[in-house]
Amino acid sequence: MPFLVDWRNDPKVIVNMDDRRKVNLKVMHTWFNINQNKQDTIAYVAFVNDKPFAYVAFSKIGLKENVAEGGMFFNPEMINSGIFANVFLAREIILKNINTSIIFSVVRNINKRGIKIQEAFGAVLDRKDEAFNYYFLYKKNRAPVLEKYADILGYKEDFDCLLRNWLYGD
């Protein structure tokens, strides 16, 4: 949690948030626990060597519509590591398990890294307003990027077993 507080309060990060107020550890714990207990939300913190690497959440999960709003916050020190790709692959397994094929993302329009990630995964820009870009990311668009990550990381057999039919099937 302290990682999330520090990350959330970082001036380079806070400008990309809906709510730009600074938070403390108590606020972050409360927020995380609320998200953990919602029926339509899955939220977790990924750790590498006992160091928090990413916070990943799916909210507003619509099991009938196969859509969820997705959000990811990364430790910037680790973004160019193979761990980054691992988090995306793990996230896809969760999406498969909850039968959610479409991710809806809201990215503040000044968040250049967030926009680049959306573009790299083939997200479709739905609309823009003065503050945000709204994207839909379909599994057929994510598939080639995730397959490439799996090949680079040596997970080809795992990808074929766990994700190929999910991503490329109907």
Side-chain angles (χ1 to χ4, degrees):
M1 263 331 125
F3 158 75
L4 287 176
V5 172
D6 291 344
W7 176 87
R8 172 71 174 75
N9 290 332
D10 185 313
K12 291 180 248 160
V13 172
I14 206 164
V15 298
N16 296 315
M17 296 294 193
D18 291 343
D19 183 346
R20 294 180 175 173
R21 293 176 292 181
K22 292 219 177 226
V23 298
N24 59 31
L25 192 55
K26 181 179 178 185
V27 169
M28 206 58 153
H29 270 289
T30 302
W31 177 80
F32 187 72
N33 287 332
I34 288 169
N35 280 320
Q36 282 282 68
N37 292 314
K38 285 182 180 175
Q39 294 294 328
D40 68 346
T41 299
I42 296 172
Y44 64 93
V45 178
F47 288 85
V48 175
N49 298 327
D50 296 324
K51 186 174 181 179
F53 169 66
Y55 170 78
V56 180
F58 296 108
S59 60
K60 302 174 188 157
I61 299 170
L63 297 178
K64 291 182 183 174
E65 300 85 21
N66 296 333
V67 178
E69 185 172 329
M72 300 174 84
F73 312 129
F74 291 97
N75 180 336
E77 298 167 10
M78 298 180 165
I79 281 194
N80 292 320
S81 70
I83 300 162
F84 184 74
N86 277 299
V87 170
F88 279 100
L89 290 164
R91 180 179 83 154
E92 197 62 42
I93 292 169
I94 292 168
L95 289 167
K96 175 186 171 198
N97 289 339
I98 63 173
N99 194 32
T100 300
S101 59
I102 303 168
I103 303 170
F104 178 70
S105 296
V106 180
V107 180
R108 193 168 282 281
N109 57 23
I110 61 170
N111 183 352
K112 301 303 181 203
R113 179 180 289 146
I115 291 169
K116 281 184 176 183
I117 290 171
Q118 296 299 317
E119 291 170 351
F121 276 88
V124 176
L125 180 63
D126 180 58
R127 67 187 185 281
K128 290 182 175 186
D129 61 29
E130 59 280 346
F132 296 99
N133 296 351
Y134 302 86
Y135 296 93
F136 283 103
L137 184 52
Y138 301 94
K139 69 179 181 178
K140 68 179 181 184
N141 296 19
R142 297 188 307 266
V145 178
L146 292 167
E147 184 171 15
K148 181 177 128 188
Y149 282 172
D151 284 344
I152 290 169
L153 296 169
Y155 297 150
K156 182 169 178 19
E157 287 181 24
D158 295 320
F159 179 87
D160 290 344
C161 177
L162 296 170
L163 292 173
R164 179 169 300 285
N165 288 340
W166 160 251
L167 288 167
Y168 290 110
D170 292 333

